[in-house]
Amino acid sequence: MPQQDTYDLVVIGGGSGGIAHAQRAAEYGARVAVVESHRLGGTCVNVGCVPKKVMWHAADIAQALGDAAAYGFKVEQGPHDWAALKRARDAYVLRLNGIYESNLARRNVELIRGRARFLGPRTVAVGELVLQTRYVTIATGGRPILPALPGADLGITSDTFFELPARPPRIAIVGSGYVAAELGSVFGALGSEVTLVLRGERLLRDFDPILSETLMAHMRAQGMQILTKVTLGGLRPAQSRSPSGELELYLPDGSPLGCYDSVLWAVGREPVTLDLDLPRAGVTLDPEGFIPTDPLQETNVPCIFAVGDVTGREALTPVAIAAGRRLSDRVFGGQAGRKLEYHTIPTVIFTHPTIGTVGCTEAQARERHADVRVYRSSFVPLYHGVMERKPRSEMKLIAVGPEERIVGLHVIGPGADEMLQGFAVAVRMGARKVDFDDTVAIHPTSAEELVTMR
């Protein structure tokens, strides 16, 4: 006889969004269970934001060591110990897994280990355990995909990147999104020969061109190779013992593109939905397998919600957390109509240099508004003033209407990641260009350029 239990809310998925949603619901007095078969924290904590930022910091230090001589330091830069960094990074992530589990226990959220599957709209099974619940939230996230090419399984993904025991001397990264850009920057700064392989003409094609074009120029100046308009035939073991690597990317006609020690696929992500038995709950999927939701995070089944990457909208950890908390505010906290607004979501890309962006691209603004004015600034940050290399930072403000309300703000350069949060508040509140102009600049900073543009 299956064991049964009853809850107000069952959350399928113990990632950042699911946990934030569950904890907020429990604070309102709901009886909540989280079902998770892997490590707590989801993509962000285990194979995403957190360990990636650790690697970004390592790359940042590598660049700073190279810059030290310009500031009068005699630093002898030895080889980087990838294995030591991996041990420290993995230990930190393991501590975070434990913190997440402790936080659930402290808020009286029950953690159920195992894989969940639907038996009905309000019934979830985990092994032999059957959970009856008023509401279910699906927060199972996504995972990187392999392209449908011969030999693709010889490569790695952004997940298995974190399993690498050593830094590959030569690596090809196939893809043009933020994962390709970020990991390419890490490998390049730590000493790998990096080749980025793009199907189109530019990195970050969904972002404003000022960001992608500037980043590509920086990467090339740092010694990375960027191949554009490439259609691949597949991946195979190198046909001879090549000193350039053991794997060979090849073109559709079979001719080689190049040999590498490792090939990383960064060609997209897919939702984790296939093993949930969603038809038994009546939940519909879109053609790519994502779970469509309305602005209140509701699926087509009124008692079933979805948050985070599984919905196919804004695959960012803070978005999943914000959506989950607002959902609990509405369902269990009595805040009718409470929901996440998906516009003006700030985004940072941890490349070298960093990128920060919020709001419309210039092209989007011109599609939506008749009266558009663009302000730009290009400058060498003070940090590079005493150096021979003088990479430029680029900034763009997009203003619309007679009031010149700021609807887009884009920055690439050192410090873009930290300065964006405050400016995102201003954009979300509807700040005008005159509000920026009337704000006293903080000098000398890069951020002051955003309030002194003419």
Side-chain angles (χ1 to χ4, degrees):
M1 187 80 176
Q3 182 182 353
Q4 296 199 25
D5 212 339
T6 303
Y7 297 89
D8 297 305
L9 172 67
V10 170
V11 180
I12 304 175
S16 299
I19 287 176
H21 172 48
Q23 291 180 162
R24 180 63 60 87
E27 289 172 6
Y28 288 121
R31 186 169 188 232
V32 184
V34 170
V35 182
E36 178 55 68
S37 60
H38 299 295
R39 292 187 295 173
L40 290 175
T43 295
C44 177
V45 168
N46 296 292
V47 288
C49 326
V50 172
K52 172 202 72 181
K53 186 68 180 292
V54 171
M55 301 305 290
W56 180 86
H57 282 304
D60 207 40
I61 291 170
Q63 287 197 337
L65 289 172
D67 294 337
Y71 279 89
F73 292 98
K74 294 182 179 179
V75 177
E76 187 173 333
Q77 190 171 350
H80 176 256
D81 190 339
W82 180 283
L85 174 60
K86 182 180 186 303
R87 287 193 298 272
R89 184 197 69 209
D90 293 352
Y92 176 59
V93 169
L94 193 62
R95 289 199 301 274
L96 292 180
N97 296 147
I99 290 170
Y100 270 80
E101 187 165 358
S102 297
N103 287 342
L104 288 176
R106 190 166 64 251
R107 290 172 173 82
N108 297 315
V109 176
E110 185 173 350
L111 175 60
I112 300 173
R113 294 289 187 176
R115 291 186 177 276
R117 67 186 191 281
F118 281 95
L119 301 180
R122 289 185 168 88
T123 308
V124 174
V126 185
E128 293 299 312
L129 178 63
V130 176
L131 313 177
Q132 301 290 342
T133 182
R134 290 172 60 200
Y135 302 105
V136 180
T137 297
I138 303 167
T140 46
R143 59 191 165 209
I145 62 175
L146 291 175
L149 292 174
D153 59 346
L154 296 173
I156 63 173
T157 67
S158 58
D159 280 8
T160 48
F161 159 78
F162 294 103
E163 299 172 9
L164 284 174
R167 176 183 55 79
R170 303 166 197 82
I171 185 165
I173 301 177
V174 182
S176 61
Y178 73 93
V179 171
E182 290 180 334
L183 297 187
S185 287
V186 166
F187 279 118
L190 295 181
S192 295
E193 294 179 15
V194 178
T195 301
L196 291 163
V197 182
L198 282 56
R199 185 174 57 183
E201 294 184 350
R202 63 185 179 99
L203 285 168
L204 306 176
R205 61 181 179 272
D206 294 332
F207 292 78
D208 195 275
I210 195 175
L211 304 177
S212 57
E213 292 167 3
T214 304
L215 178 62
M216 290 173 69
H218 278 285
M219 286 181 149
R220 286 177 168 134
Q222 293 164 17
M224 300 182 214
Q225 186 178 21
I226 303 177
L227 306 179
T228 60
K229 298 184 179 179
V230 176
T231 299
L232 291 172
L235 179 63
R236 64 195 174 202
Q239 299 191 7
S240 61
R241 286 186 172 271
S242 168
S244 300
E246 300 179 353
L247 297 174
E248 185 176 73
L249 282 170
Y250 62 91
L251 303 175
D253 63 3
S255 59
L257 178 71
C259 291
Y260 310 94
D261 299 294
S262 184
V263 173
L264 190 150
W265 304 107
V267 293
R269 296 177 66 82
E270 64 183 3
V272 179
T273 55
L274 290 180
D275 60 353
L276 294 176
D277 284 346
L278 290 174
R280 300 188 70 170
V283 176
T284 59
L285 304 176
D286 72 11
E288 295 180 322
F290 292 98
I291 300 177
T293 63
D294 68 10
L296 298 176
Q297 306 297 147
E298 291 189 1
T299 70
N300 64 299
V301 180
C303 62
I304 300 177
F305 311 109
V307 298
D309 295 4
V310 76
T311 67
R313 289 191 298 184
E314 300 291 347
L316 299 167
T317 296
V319 170
I321 291 171
R325 286 175 176 165
R326 285 160 175 74
L327 175 59
S328 289
D329 290 340
R330 180 175 66 84
V331 175
F332 298 103
Q335 300 180 38
R338 178 82 161 138
K339 66 181 186 298
L340 175 63
E341 299 291 346
Y342 279 85
H343 66 282
T344 61
I345 290 174
T347 303
V348 164
I349 305 172
F350 287 101
T351 46
H352 287 85
T354 48
I355 288 172
T357 177
V358 60
C360 298
T361 65
E362 183 177 342
Q364 290 169 340
R366 295 193 185 282
E367 288 175 3
R368 301 170 189 174
H369 304 276
D371 184 6
V372 176
R373 187 166 182 183
V374 175
Y375 298 85
R376 289 187 60 164
S377 178
S378 177
F379 60 96
V380 176
L382 179 60
Y383 175 80
H384 296 289
V386 297
M387 300 179 190
E388 289 187 11
R389 70 181 187 97
K390 298 191 183 299
R392 302 187 73 82
S393 291
E394 302 283 344
M395 297 182 176
K396 178 186 283 190
L397 290 176
I398 302 167
V400 301
E403 290 188 317
E404 290 199 308
R405 199 165 299 282
I406 304 297
V407 297
L409 185 151
H410 312 284
V411 182
I412 178 168
D417 50 332
E418 293 294 345
M419 73 176 74
L420 188 74
Q421 189 72 76
F423 282 105
V425 174
V427 172
R428 178 169 174 75
M429 292 179 68
R432 304 160 298 165
K433 180 64 169 61
V434 68
D435 297 317
F436 277 51
D437 296 340
D438 286 346
T439 300
V440 175
I442 302 170
H443 181 74
T445 65
S446 292
E448 69 180 298
E449 293 289 326
L450 289 166
V451 298
T452 57
M453 288 186 191
R454 301 291 295 172

